[in-house]
Amino acid sequence: TMSEAYSKAETLALRRKHIGPSCKVFFAKDPLKIVRAQGQYMFDENGEKYLDCINNVAHVGHSHPDVIKAAVKQMELLNTNSRFLHDNLVQYAKRLTDTMPEKLSVCYFVNSGSEANDLALRLARHFSGHQDVITLDNAYHGHVTSLIDISPYKFNQLGKESKKEFVHVAPSPDTYRGKYREDHLDPAGAYAGEVKKIIEETQKNGRKIAAFIAESMQSCGGQVIPPAGYFQQVAEYVHEAGGVFIADEVQVGFGRVGKHFWAFQLQGEDFVPDIVTMGKPIGNGHPMSCVVTTREIAEAFGASGLEYFNTFGGNPVSCAIGLAVLDVIEKEDLQGNATQVGNYLIELLNEQKRKHPLVGDIRGVGLFVGVDLVKDIQKRTPATAEALHLVYKLKERHILLSADGPHRNILKFKPPMSFTQEDAKFVVDQIDALLTGTHPPPKRHHPCPPGHHPPKKQHPPP
């Protein structure tokens, strides 16, 4: 019961004693203790309600009744491994692959995004017979050893020596901060050309490319949306080199982008990755994940004679939960909601950009949005301290938002898909109030006529 619960101080003390010191909490100065959550809201031990703008795991909303019901019902019947036949497994595999291009038809079920990406690397290396991997700068693909090796977001913190010789880092296709910017005539081609250069260099050194791996949109890298056409061109170069293209959808899949079910589909219909990995939102908080690939790659892996067995992967309970999540996305039209609320949020944030010089760039699609804060609008100097300050101030106003990217200056929105227009307006109003209060506006580069502000948009009917 609640009366026997630890005080926040006791919880913290026990955590310090028994939990590894590298396991950090949000808001280290004053961490939150959350005891329950519902939809897009979380509640602390005093019953205070917080709006959750960052939890992309609780994809269809925290504690969704349909997901819980499906889990309990299946748990009462059976939970076992996939060496026994079970309808949930095949039914879910069919439902999932129905959302993808036709040639992506074979599934391996595992338990986390990290496990999915680790298996994807094995599949790619086995199929190509090669070893080397091209990854994007600032990428994060998971916490197991094989993935720390290909996650510059992590290994760069360990110093120059930490990059393995089989890993090659291509520039992040960021048209706001990157090498080729929004004024470039063909940023997609230019960024893809960088990958081509890496491949040529690598081959000169007698090495061979097994895979190019990229998040369909970089999340930890700073909410980066690659220019359309980039993946197609990269895939061409990688295939020529005998490698495969892995699209990591762990953060961005399952309709978050609104108009498509998968974020890689933003690149256009002619782009089909060879392997797609997914995790986080797939089970709404239940640990499950999946690798989907082509028949050809799966058969090459099978021909190795090595059985692939994963104790919990694809168990009946996980699959029941997975099916329930797909049902809810459909039944509640969460893709439609992501588009409508996402567009509204971006519109409100663009208003902030016109008003506050600290807001340098707004980029996003659906309910995946980044706000790049800058100290200087021309130089695009990252406003790291300001971002942190804002995140703490928003927490005081009961809004959970986080800052990320290589400079930790990008506010990132990836809320549960049940996020509403009211929620969007509430958050942006609070950001506006804080920006108006905390920073005396520096001299503008583009002065508005005195007293002139863009008219406030009327709140559209939901």
Side-chain angles (χ1 to χ4, degrees):
T1 63
M2 285 307 291
S3 59
E4 290 159 22
Y6 295 125
S7 73
K8 189 157 138 179
E10 287 170 324
T11 306
L12 204 52
L14 278 168
R15 184 174 172 122
R16 286 188 182 129
K17 187 173 174 186
H18 296 299
I19 305 299
S22 45
C23 304
K24 306 288 188 219
V25 290
F26 280 133
F27 310 108
K29 284 184 268 193
D30 180 24
L32 280 175
K33 182 170 179 179
I34 295 295
V35 298
R36 65 185 185 90
Q38 191 74 51
Q40 62 278 40
Y41 295 101
M42 301 182 99
F43 299 85
D44 70 10
E45 76 281 17
N46 304 317
E48 295 287 341
K49 173 168 133 177
Y50 290 82
L51 176 62
D52 182 358
C53 303
I54 46 181
N55 203 318
N56 59 337
V57 180
H59 190 63
V60 300
H62 290 276
S63 315
H64 196 290
D66 295 15
V67 179
I68 295 165
K69 215 175 285 162
V72 171
K73 201 171 135 193
Q74 183 55 52
M75 266 182 217
E76 287 172 342
L77 281 173
L78 169 75
N79 201 21
T80 185
N81 67 62
S82 59
R83 282 180 168 143
F84 298 97
L85 289 178
H86 199 280
D87 287 347
N88 286 7
L89 177 70
V90 290
Q91 192 190 350
Y92 185 62
K94 183 186 181 310
R95 277 279 296 279
L96 189 64
T97 53
D98 280 350
T99 66
M100 307 197 112
E102 207 171 325
K103 74 171 211 182
L104 290 166
S105 59
V106 184
C107 301
Y108 295 88
F109 289 103
V110 288
N111 311 298
S112 69
S114 291
E115 268 198 15
N117 282 331
D118 181 73
L119 177 57
L121 286 183
R122 270 180 72 186
L123 288 167
R125 284 178 169 145
H126 192 89
F127 179 73
S128 63
H130 305 160
Q131 168 74 5
D132 289 27
V133 177
I134 301 174
T135 185
L136 292 178
D137 203 8
N138 308 319
Y140 177 60
H141 292 290
H143 60 71
V144 300
T145 304
S146 66
L147 302 175
I148 296 295
D149 286 347
I150 62 161
S151 297
Y153 179 79
K154 289 288 184 190
F155 73 63
N156 281 345
Q157 297 172 35
L158 304 170
K160 282 282 163 270
E161 304 310 289
S162 57
K163 188 179 87 58
K164 302 280 197 291
E165 58 178 355
F166 59 82
V167 176
H168 313 281
V169 181
S172 164
D174 178 345
T175 55
Y176 183 69
R177 291 204 164 275
K179 193 167 172 179
Y180 308 108
R181 299 197 169 176
E182 71 282 352
D183 53 5
H184 193 283
L185 290 175
D186 176 22
Y191 279 117
E194 295 282 330
V195 176
K196 187 178 202 249
K197 264 189 263 179
I198 287 174
I199 293 173
E200 286 164 358
E201 194 62 29
T202 308
Q203 290 172 334
K204 255 196 241 127
N205 296 331
R207 307 189 67 96
K208 293 182 175 147
I209 301 295
F212 170 90
I213 183 168
E215 299 158 83
S216 300
M217 301 187 296
Q218 281 193 303
S219 186
C220 294
Q223 305 295 88
V224 175
I225 301 164
Y230 170 66
F231 283 169
Q232 283 89 327
Q233 294 175 64
V234 169
E236 216 171 285
Y237 301 142
V238 171
H239 289 153
E240 270 167 35
V244 302
F245 191 113
I246 303 169
D248 173 338
E249 291 268 340
V250 173
Q251 299 257 24
V252 293
F254 291 89
R256 176 161 295 279
V257 300
K259 54 187 163 213
H260 300 287
F261 204 78
W262 302 104
F264 71 76
Q265 293 169 314
L266 292 167
Q267 291 275 314
E269 284 194 2
D270 57 337
F271 173 66
V272 182
D274 304 295
I275 301 175
V276 177
T277 59
M278 54 198 74
K280 290 192 197 310
I282 190 172
N284 213 56
H286 176 82
M288 66 183 292
S289 66
C290 182
V291 178
V292 182
T293 189
T294 63
R295 170 65 44 205
E296 190 190 3
I297 291 174
E299 282 181 352
F301 190 57
S304 71
L306 203 61
E307 184 199 357
Y308 181 77
F309 174 65
N310 186 304
T311 306
F312 301 111
N315 69 72
V317 172
S318 293
C319 291
I321 287 171
L323 283 163
V325 169
L326 293 179
D327 286 340
V328 174
I329 293 172
E330 219 165 282
K331 186 176 87 182
E332 298 181 8
D333 186 23
L334 292 179
Q335 271 182 263
N337 189 62
T339 295
Q340 195 188 7
V341 177
N343 288 347
Y344 180 59
L345 174 62
I346 288 165
E347 192 182 301
L348 293 177
L349 288 167
N350 275 319
E351 235 168 79
Q352 297 302 303
K353 184 178 145 182
R354 290 191 286 274
K355 209 168 147 184
H356 303 289
L358 190 72
V359 181
D361 189 41
I362 305 293
R363 45 184 178 264
V365 52
L367 285 174
F368 180 88
V369 179
V371 182
D372 195 318
L373 300 181
V374 295
K375 288 192 225 228
D376 180 310
I377 215 118
Q378 306 308 92
K379 296 192 189 123
R380 303 185 179 182
T381 326
T384 304
E386 290 82 347
L388 184 69
H389 179 71
L390 209 54
V391 164
Y392 266 93
K393 286 290 180 201
L394 285 167
K395 177 211 170 206
E396 286 171 15
R397 295 172 180 226
H398 289 200
I399 293 165
L400 306 181
L401 198 62
S402 70
D404 218 329
H407 309 287
R408 299 283 189 279
N409 68 309
I410 289 143
L411 304 178
K412 56 179 185 181
F413 284 86
K414 18 173 222 178
M417 299 272 281
S418 49
F419 208 70
T420 65
Q421 291 190 323
E422 288 68 29
D423 297 330
K425 178 140 176 51
F426 174 61
V427 179
V428 179
D429 284 347
Q430 298 299 319
I431 289 174
D432 187 21
L434 287 166
L435 291 183
T436 307
T438 39
H439 300 278
K443 288 197 176 62
R444 284 170 173 282
H445 294 286
H446 309 289
C448 284
H452 170 80
H453 282 294
K456 278 265 186 290
K457 281 275 187 319
Q458 283 309 301
H459 191 60

